[in-house]
């Protein structure tokens, strides 16, 4: 049975990123995968502290993070997983700090300084899921295609596979009239949430199916 783990880099349970990741896991479960959601904001952990223990000259090579905190058990389960789906809202044109810290720990242990082209990770299917306020028309101006391509390339280098899914102009609050948020049309966002976001949920479901499928 395939094991698919979603890593949620959003602090908001039940909101956009969470919903897409849940849909992706539903898709994976629909083709028989065992699934798990990890909420990074529930965990106490730090990014890589550059202790270099994972690079020590030992046989077999350690290539595993020795830091002990709430992420340790998650990294152990990810090591055995067939697929990992990482999700994050865009915060100031990047993934959240928590997802960045997670990625430092997840990836550095597999980085091979003897030969960068041969990471010490076994193949996995991976995906990055992003949600954001930004309309897609702004991407050339804000560089989000390049941002997403950079993450995709990095994850492909480590695991041999990565897909990207993004959802734009998401619903940020339920009632826009309660906030200083005049640049956004709350009614239009609600309509978009019921239409475009619903389609994005379907795309997330299909992503989960693909990641949990045999090939
Ligand atoms: C601290 C902060 C920074 C943000 N920065 C951006 C940004 O740079 N670009 C963008 O498109 N949206 C930005 N947003 C909006 C979120 O990306 C968007 O609301 C997202 O869908 C929230 O995800 P969630 O519903 O899973 O929490 C920001 C939101 C917050 C709270």
């Amino acid at each position: 049975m395939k094991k698919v783990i979603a890593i949620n880099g959003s602090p908001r349970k039940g909101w956009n990123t969470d919903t897409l990741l849940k849909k992706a896991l539903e898709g994976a479960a629909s083709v028989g995968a065992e699934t798990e959601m990890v909420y990074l904001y529930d965990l106490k952990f730090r990014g890589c502290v550059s202790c270099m223990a994972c690079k020590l000259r030992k046989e077999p090579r350690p290539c595993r993070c020795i830091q002990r905190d709430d992420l340790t058990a998650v990294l152990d389960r990810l090591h055995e997983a067939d697929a990992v789906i990482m999700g994050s809202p865009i915060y100031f044109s990047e993934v959240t700090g928590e997802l960045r810290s997670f990625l430092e720990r997840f990836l550095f242990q597999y980085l091979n300084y003897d030969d960068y082209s041969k990471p010490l990770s076994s193949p996995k299917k991976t995906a990055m899921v992003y949600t954001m306020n930004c309309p897609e028309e702004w991407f050339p101006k804000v560089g989000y295609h390049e941002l997403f391509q950079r993450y995709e390339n990095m994850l492909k280098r480590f695991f041999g596979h990565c897909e990207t899914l993004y959802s734009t102009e998401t619903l940020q609050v339920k009632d826009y009239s309660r906030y200083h948020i005049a640049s956004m049309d709350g009614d239009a966002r609600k309509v978009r949430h019921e239409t475009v976001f619903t389609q994005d949920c379907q795309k997330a479901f299909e992503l989960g199916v693909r990641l949990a499928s045999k090939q």
Side-chain angles (χ1 to χ4, degrees):
M1 185 193 279
K2 299 272 182 195
K3 177 82 204 259
V4 181
I5 301 180
I7 304 291
N8 193 335
S10 168
R12 300 201 301 174
K13 287 183 186 163
W15 280 84
N16 299 287
T17 312
D18 194 24
T19 304
L20 291 178
L21 290 177
K22 279 181 182 154
K23 285 286 166 195
L25 291 184
E26 261 178 44
S30 75
V31 289
E34 186 191 334
T35 65
E36 177 187 347
M37 177 82 87
V38 174
Y39 289 99
L40 291 181
Y41 281 79
D42 284 350
L43 307 181
K44 284 201 172 33
F45 71 101
R46 295 189 299 186
C48 175
V49 292
S50 199
C51 69
M52 301 300 284
C54 62
K55 308 280 174 264
L56 281 172
R57 279 185 195 271
K58 279 185 186 169
E59 285 305 330
R61 292 167 72 142
C63 67
R64 301 300 304 281
C65 181
I66 66 145
Q67 295 302 317
R68 293 287 170 259
D69 58 19
D70 288 356
L71 203 60
T72 308
V74 175
L75 293 178
D76 286 345
R77 296 201 293 280
L78 284 169
H79 192 67
E80 307 301 330
D82 301 287
V84 51
I85 310 172
M86 289 148 281
S88 179
I90 295 296
Y91 280 7
F92 298 106
S93 297
E94 253 299 345
V95 297
T96 56
E98 268 67 7
L99 192 70
R100 237 357 255 192
S101 295
F102 161 79
L103 280 167
E104 288 174 9
R105 291 276 296 282
F106 184 36
L107 298 181
F108 192 71
Q109 56 183 353
Y110 299 132
L111 184 67
N112 183 355
Y113 276 145
D114 290 339
D115 182 348
Y116 284 103
S117 69
K118 295 196 178 80
L120 301 161
S121 37
S122 45
K124 283 185 204 309
K125 289 191 173 177
T126 73
M128 289 292 285
V129 173
Y130 307 93
T131 71
M132 72 212 75
N133 262 328
C134 184
E136 192 158 1
E137 305 87 82
W138 293 5
F139 278 19
K141 196 170 59 182
V142 293
Y144 288 179
H145 279 310
E146 291 77 5
L147 176 74
F148 302 157
Q149 195 61 56
R150 193 155 47 78
Y151 277 107
E152 196 173 298
N153 292 346
M154 182 168 72
L155 288 161
K156 274 184 183 156
R157 197 153 60 77
F158 278 92
F159 302 108
H161 177 101
C162 184
E163 295 188 42
T164 299
L165 176 69
Y166 55 82
S167 184
T168 59
E169 295 176 84
T170 54
L171 193 71
Q172 192 164 15
V173 293
K174 285 205 169 73
D175 182 356
Y176 280 72
S177 71
R178 291 184 60 220
Y179 300 90
H180 285 292
I181 198 160
S183 66
M184 294 173 213
D185 178 342
D187 291 336
R189 288 285 172 127
K190 274 194 194 133
V191 171
R192 188 176 170 87
H193 191 71
E194 280 150 25
T195 53
V196 179
F197 187 74
T198 303
Q199 291 163 16
D200 292 339
C201 286
Q202 182 57 29
K203 288 182 194 165
F205 185 93
E206 287 158 15
L207 171 73
V209 170
R210 282 197 300 283
L211 292 192
S213 298
K214 282 203 180 66
Q215 295 309 316

